[in-house]
Amino acid sequence: MDEVQGMINEIVFRNEVNGYSVIEICDEGEETTVVGYFPYLNIGETIRVAGAWVEHPDYGKQFKMEAYHVVTPATLNGIERYLCSGLIPGIGPATAKKLVERFGLDTLDIIQYNPQKLTEIEGIGDKKAQKIYDAFIEQRELKDIMLFLEGYKISPAYAVRIYKTYGAETIKVIRENPYNLAEDVFGIGFKMADRIALTMGIPLDSEYRIASGTRYVLNQFHNNGHSYVPQELLIKTSAELLNVREEVIENILLSLFIDRKIVIENLDDVKAVYSIAFHKAEVGIVRRLLTLAQFPISTVQFDIDNEIRKLEAEDGIDLAANQREAVQQAATKGLLVITGGPGTGKTTTIKTIIRLFERMGLDVLLCAPTGRAAKRMQEATGRESRTIHRLLEYGFGDKDEDMVFQKNEDSPLEADAIIVDEVSMVDILLMNSLLKAICEGTRLILVGDVDQLPSVGPGCVLKDIIDSKAVSVVRLDEIFRQAQESMIVVNAHRINKGEPPVLNIKDKDFFFIREENQAEILEKIKALCKDRLPKYSGYNSHEGIQILSPMKKGICGVINLNTELQKVLNPPYFSKTERQFRDVIFRQGDKVMQIRNNYKMKWQSLSDPDYEGEGVFNGDMGIISKVDNEEQTIEVIYDGERVVKYEGSDLDELELSYAVTVHKSQGSEFPILVMPVTSGPPMLLTRNLLYTALTRAKQMVVLVGQERCIYSMVKNNYVTRRYSGLEYRLQRLGNLNEHNEASISSQE
C-alpha cells in the first residue's frame, strides 16, 4: 500500500451526503489529486493518506484513499490556511494572519490550552476568545464523532445533525441506545438506527429492538398527521419493517400498554393506538371545549341587537344574516366556530365582534398559529394580534431542551374573550395547550376555512369540531358583491364546488398562460418574476410576488424553481457576499424561509437593538441582510423587524423561498401568486390543494402550464384520511352531557 502526505489546498468536489471527495494536496510544491470517502475535511489541514495510484480515463493519475489520518499543521503557512478555511467562526484570513504572526507554531496550542492569551490580538475580546475556543473544541469533538460514525456508514451530513443533537455525549448516547437516533434526529429513520444497533450486536428478535421499532412506526404515523393508528394497521406495518411475525408485535404492544408507554382504546368499532401525548391532547381538547361551550355566559342586560345596528351605521356596513348571527352568538355563547371561504366576510365579522366586545367592556385577545397570520389579523383589525406561542408565553422548563408554555391551567390567560384565526392550521397539541390556558367564562371564537388543507401537525381540529355538531358553528357562505368582482374569489369557490375555473376574462385578476413543456413553464415563470409582473404591478419577488408549487421535486418543483429563480432574481455580484451550505448557495439579498420551529433561536429588534426575544418558526419568511464569512454567520431579517443570526449547521433550518410549497404557504397572503400547473403525483394535485393555493392571493393569480392539469385537479377530490378520535369523542361526550342535563331537569 502506497502513502502520500500533504496540506489540503483545494476541495475540488464533495458529496455532503456520503462524503465522497476529490481533493488537491500539496507537499513541498508537489500537488496530488486524492479521491475517496472522507467524513471530515478542511482546507489547510495536513493529512497522511494510505492507498493506491489509479488512472482515471478523464482526469488522469489520482491517488485512491483506503485510510487516512489528520496531521496537525506543522508549518506557519499550514496553520494559517487551516485557521482561515472557515473551520472556526470568528477567524477569517485577517485574524488568522495576526494569530500566526503573534504566536507562530504555538498558535493551535494557545487556542486549545490558553485561549485567554488570544485577547492580546487587536479585535479579540474575552467574548470572542471564548467563542473561538468553543468552536475549536467543537470541531475536535465533531471530528472524533464523525470517525466513530463512519464505522457505521453514517454520512458526514447526518453526523453533523447527530452531533448537533447530542453534542459531546453523542458516542455515549448511541452506545447506550442507538434507537434514540430515529426519534431525536431529523432525517434519520429507523432503518439507519437499526443498522447501527445490529452492527453493535443487538439481535433481530430483541424485545428492545421490536419495541423501539414499533414506537418508531407509531411516531411516523403521527408525523404524517394522524392522532392515532388502528391497531391492526400498526401491527402489519411494524411486522413488515422489523421482519417479524405479527403475533410478536401484538405482544410488544400489550407490554407497552401495561408499562403505560402507549394508550390502546376502543373508538366505536376501531381499536386505536395512541402515543401518550396525543391521547392526552385529544381528551383534553374535548373536555375543555365542552366545558367552555356549556359554561353560562352573562351579557349583563346588554342590548346586543341594538349595539350591532349602531356599529353597522358607524362603520357603514350592512351585515348579512349569517354574519349577524355570528356576532350575536359570539356575544352570548362561551364557544363559537366561524368558518367560510374567501370573500364571505370573515374579517368584517371579526372586526364587528371585537367592536361589540369592547362596547361590552370585555378584554379581548387576538391570536393566530403563525407570525404571518397574526400580522394579517393585526393589519385587518387594527388591534394587536400575537402568535399562539407568544400568547401562551413559551419558555423553557427545568431541562433547557424542554419547551413549555408559561400560560396554562395554573396560570391562565387574563381575558374576557379570545379570538383565534386560521384555526385549520392548528394541530391537536397546540390546541390543547391553548385550551388549557383559557378559564371557564372566557368567550372563545375559533375562525378558519374548513375547506383548506389541514394542519401540518397531527389532527384535523377545525374539521372535527365542525363535523361533531357538538358546538355552535356559523358558516359564512354568502359572497359579497365586491368580492364577486374578483375572479380569484369566484374561481376559488367554483373549484371548491368541483367546477372548473373561468380563465382569462379581460381586465380581471385571474390569468392563465398555456405552456405544455415543463422547461418552457419554468422559463415563463422566470420571465414573469424578473420583468413582466414587476413592471405591471410594481411588486417584486422579494416583496409581493410569490411562487407556489404543489411539489418539491421535478423541473417545476420548489427545489429547482428556487435554484433557477435565484440566478435571475439575485445573481452573484462582487459586492454581494455568499456562503454555500451543502447544495444551496445563500447570498446576500436572498429570500429565505425557516423550515422548523426553533424555540431557542435568538432575535434582535431592528428598530430597538436593546430589545431581544427568542423563537423563529416554521414558515417564517425573511431576507438575508448579511453573510459574514469571517464569523461564518448569516443574518436574516424577518417581517422587516427581527434580525436572526444563523451559525454553522443552523443553516439546515433555512431554505430559499422564492418558491414554496402550497402546504408551507398556509396562514400567509401574497399580493401576487404564480403557480405552475403540470403533471405530478395525483395525491398532491388535488382540488383541496388548488383551492388552498388560490386563497393565498390578494390581488392577482397567474397559473402557468397545462389546462388539462387544472381540470384534473378540480376533479381530483382525494383527501388523505387522517386517523383522529376528536369528532367521535366530542359527539359521544356531548350527547352524554346533554343526557345528564335532561335527567337533572326531569328530576327537578
Side-chain angles (χ1 to χ4, degrees):
M1 191 175 288
D2 296 322
E3 196 172 87
V4 295
Q5 179 173 316
M7 184 176 69
I8 300 172
N9 268 342
E10 183 183 1
I11 300 174
V12 180
F13 170 80
R14 180 164 176 82
N15 184 325
E16 291 292 347
V17 175
N18 61 21
Y20 181 81
S21 305
V22 180
I23 61 174
E24 295 287 348
I25 66 171
C26 182
D27 184 40
E28 297 180 354
E30 185 177 341
E31 290 190 345
T32 302
T33 300
V34 181
V35 299
Y37 295 88
F38 295 87
Y40 196 81
L41 286 176
N42 276 287
I43 292 173
E45 288 186 313
T46 298
I47 59 173
R48 184 176 292 122
V49 186
W53 292 98
V54 296
E55 191 72 26
H56 193 281
D58 296 322
Y59 302 110
K61 193 176 181 182
Q62 298 177 333
F63 193 83
K64 187 176 181 181
M65 184 272 290
E66 296 289 337
Y68 83 102
H69 71 272
V70 178
V71 180
T72 303
T75 66
L76 295 179
N77 181 49
I79 293 170
E80 186 175 335
R81 291 209 64 189
Y82 174 74
L83 290 175
C84 70
S85 65
L87 176 74
I88 301 171
I91 300 182
T95 305
K97 189 175 183 65
K98 290 178 184 177
L99 286 167
V100 172
E101 286 177 350
R102 174 68 181 84
F103 301 117
L105 295 174
D106 296 328
T107 300
L108 298 182
D109 285 340
I110 293 291
I111 293 173
Q112 185 169 2
Y113 301 114
N114 200 6
Q116 64 271 18
K117 287 182 69 69
L118 298 177
T119 58
E120 297 174 11
I121 304 297
E122 185 182 355
I124 299 181
D126 291 337
K127 190 174 179 180
K128 188 168 182 177
Q130 184 64 42
K131 184 178 178 181
I132 290 171
Y133 167 77
D134 291 341
F136 187 83
I137 297 302
E138 180 179 299
Q139 294 302 317
R140 291 287 173 96
E141 289 176 349
L142 181 55
K143 189 174 295 183
D144 291 340
I145 286 163
M146 280 186 162
L147 290 170
F148 168 78
L149 293 172
E150 185 189 21
Y152 299 106
K153 295 183 170 54
I154 303 296
S155 73
Y158 282 125
V160 171
R161 289 186 186 178
I162 293 168
Y163 176 77
K164 189 177 175 183
T165 303
Y166 302 124
E169 298 291 303
T170 297
I171 294 174
K172 179 173 176 283
V173 169
I174 292 173
R175 281 175 172 160
E176 287 178 354
N177 183 2
Y179 293 106
N180 284 331
L181 293 168
E183 294 186 17
D184 299 340
V185 183
F186 175 77
I188 291 187
F190 177 81
K191 289 183 178 179
M192 191 181 294
D194 196 37
R195 188 181 70 224
I196 296 172
L198 295 174
T199 306
M200 293 171 62
I202 294 174
L204 277 169
D205 59 353
S206 161
E207 287 191 11
Y208 176 65
R209 173 182 182 261
I210 296 167
S212 296
T214 304
R215 292 182 72 179
Y216 170 78
V217 171
L218 179 57
N219 286 331
Q220 288 302 103
F221 274 99
H222 292 321
N223 292 339
N224 290 329
H226 303 287
S227 302
Y228 74 83
V229 189
Q231 182 173 286
E232 188 177 338
L233 178 60
L234 179 60
I235 290 171
K236 185 175 184 294
T237 309
S238 300
E240 288 174 357
L241 174 70
L242 298 166
N243 195 25
V244 298
R245 291 178 292 107
E246 292 186 0
E247 295 81 20
V248 175
I249 305 296
E250 279 189 74
N251 293 332
I252 287 293
L253 283 177
L254 182 60
S255 295
L256 290 171
F257 174 71
I258 293 170
D259 293 340
R260 298 184 178 180
K261 292 179 178 178
I262 61 170
V263 174
I264 303 175
E265 185 179 356
N266 288 321
L267 299 180
D268 205 6
D269 58 345
V270 177
K271 186 168 281 188
V273 183
Y274 289 84
S275 293
I276 297 292
F278 294 103
H279 184 263
K280 282 184 177 178
E282 203 171 86
V283 171
I285 289 171
V286 171
R287 288 174 177 168
R288 294 301 301 166
L289 283 176
L290 293 177
T291 299
L292 292 170
Q294 294 163 5
F295 198 87
I297 297 295
S298 172
T299 56
V300 197
Q301 298 180 344
F302 195 81
D303 192 336
I304 293 169
D305 289 338
N306 187 48
E307 289 300 324
I308 292 173
R309 285 192 291 272
K310 288 181 182 177
L311 288 170
E312 286 180 300
E314 291 172 13
D315 297 340
I317 58 174
D318 185 15
L319 296 175
N322 50 11
Q323 287 180 300
R324 183 180 298 274
E325 182 189 357
V327 178
Q328 291 169 332
Q329 291 205 34
T332 57
K333 292 185 179 292
L335 174 63
L336 175 67
V337 176
I338 302 172
T339 187
T344 57
K346 290 197 299 293
T347 299
T348 300
T349 305
I350 292 172
K351 286 169 69 175
T352 307
I353 290 171
I354 294 169
R355 293 253 283 142
L356 180 64
F357 282 173
E358 290 171 347
R359 292 275 181 96
M360 296 170 68
L362 303 181
D363 185 19
V364 185
L365 293 176
L366 310 182
C367 64
T370 67
R372 282 183 164 266
K375 187 179 180 181
R376 285 201 301 108
M377 194 181 191
Q378 183 163 311
E379 290 169 349
T381 62
R383 302 323 192 260
E384 182 188 9
S385 178
R386 286 172 276 181
T387 64
I388 297 173
H389 288 85
R390 203 165 299 284
L391 183 73
L392 297 179
E393 299 177 12
Y394 63 86
F396 299 96
D398 298 332
K399 298 179 181 178
D400 285 345
E401 67 270 17
D402 292 339
M403 189 277 293
V404 297
F405 292 112
Q406 307 303 318
K407 292 296 180 183
N408 50 40
E409 54 266 73
D410 298 321
S411 178
L413 294 165
E414 295 179 5
D416 300 307
I418 297 171
I419 302 175
V420 189
D421 200 11
E422 296 283 1
V423 178
S424 63
M425 298 178 64
V426 181
D427 63 36
I428 61 169
L429 294 179
L430 186 57
M431 179 58 75
N432 186 46
S433 295
L434 174 63
L435 292 173
K436 283 196 293 187
I438 300 176
C439 293
E440 291 88 347
T442 300
R443 294 168 171 83
L444 176 63
I445 295 92
L446 303 176
V447 185
D449 185 350
V450 72
D451 295 316
Q452 289 195 27
L453 292 169
S455 60
V456 175
C460 302
V461 174
L462 182 62
K463 185 177 185 300
D464 284 349
I465 293 172
I466 292 172
D467 290 348
S468 74
K469 298 180 173 58
V471 304
S472 297
V473 177
V474 176
R475 185 181 285 272
L476 306 180
D477 52 13
E478 182 179 335
I479 306 174
F480 288 89
R481 187 180 303 167
Q482 186 178 357
Q484 288 176 354
E485 297 175 3
S486 167
M487 292 308 297
I488 299 173
V489 173
V490 170
N491 280 334
H493 284 276
R494 285 181 64 89
I495 288 166
N496 200 34
K497 290 187 287 187
E499 300 171 3
V502 180
L503 304 176
N504 292 337
I505 294 182
K506 192 177 178 182
D507 299 327
K508 290 291 185 178
D509 54 6
F510 192 99
F511 301 93
F512 172 66
I513 300 174
R514 186 176 284 101
E515 291 288 352
E516 290 296 320
N517 182 277
Q518 290 203 26
E520 290 300 319
I521 294 172
L522 172 63
E523 291 304 313
K524 186 68 70 174
I525 289 174
K526 287 161 65 176
L528 282 166
C529 296
K530 185 176 184 293
D531 298 313
R532 289 179 62 183
L533 287 174
K535 288 177 182 176
Y536 179 80
S537 68
Y539 291 106
N540 59 54
S541 291
H542 287 77
E543 200 63 47
I545 302 171
Q546 183 62 54
I547 297 90
L548 299 185
S549 176
M551 299 163 290
K552 294 192 75 171
K553 298 179 180 178
I555 294 174
C556 294
V558 163
I559 296 170
N560 189 58
L561 279 167
N562 275 316
T563 302
E564 293 296 317
L565 287 164
Q566 185 190 45
K567 293 175 184 176
V568 297
L569 300 176
N570 191 33
Y573 195 63
F574 75 93
S575 63
K576 290 182 180 179
T577 49
E578 61 183 48
R579 181 178 176 188
Q580 183 160 353
F581 182 76
R582 298 182 183 147
D583 297 329
V584 180
I585 293 172
F586 291 108
R587 184 174 295 131
Q588 187 179 352
D590 273 334
K591 185 178 178 181
V592 291
M593 174 185 278
Q594 174 79 13
I595 60 170
R596 230 170 289 160
N597 288 335
N598 188 329
Y599 303 101
K600 292 184 180 181
M601 185 74 80
K602 297 185 183 302
W603 55 263
Q604 189 175 47
S605 170
L606 193 63
S607 57
D608 182 4
D610 293 329
Y611 182 60
E612 297 180 341
E614 290 181 332
V616 188
F617 301 103
N618 188 3
D620 285 353
M621 296 174 75
I623 304 293
I624 295 177
S625 59
K626 183 179 180 182
V627 178
D628 191 328
N629 287 318
E630 176 94 0
E631 295 288 335
Q632 295 293 299
T633 60
I634 290 178
E635 289 185 6
V636 179
I637 298 176
Y638 290 104
D639 302 320
E641 171 60 21
R642 294 177 296 144
V643 182
V644 177
K645 186 178 288 187
Y646 290 81
E647 300 180 358
S649 57
D650 288 338
L651 292 177
D652 66 2
E653 299 184 3
L654 271 187
E655 285 183 354
L656 296 175
S657 64
Y658 299 102
V660 300
T661 62
V662 177
H663 286 82
K664 287 286 188 185
S665 73
Q666 286 181 268
S668 301
E669 277 189 350
F670 313 100
I672 299 174
L673 182 150
V674 181
M675 181 174 167
V677 281
T678 183
S679 55
M683 64 182 301
L684 289 177
L685 303 179
T686 66
R687 180 192 304 174
N688 190 214
L689 183 137
L690 183 58
Y691 170 79
T692 301
L694 298 193
T695 60
R696 303 301 91 203
K698 290 196 293 186
Q699 297 178 22
M700 185 188 301
V701 167
V702 184
L703 302 181
V704 185
Q706 303 159 354
E707 190 169 352
R708 65 180 180 278
C709 185
I710 298 174
Y711 298 142
S712 67
M713 288 181 77
V714 173
K715 290 178 183 176
N716 183 8
N717 199 27
Y718 173 81
V719 179
T720 304
R721 182 192 172 189
R722 288 192 169 186
Y723 298 113
S724 165
L726 187 59
E727 179 187 347
Y728 170 79
R729 294 180 194 279
L730 280 167
Q731 287 176 340
R732 191 181 67 157
L733 195 56
N735 291 336
L736 182 63
N737 288 345
E738 287 178 9
H739 175 74
N740 291 339
E741 286 175 8
S743 298
I744 292 168
S745 299
S746 64
Q747 291 172 13
E748 290 175 348

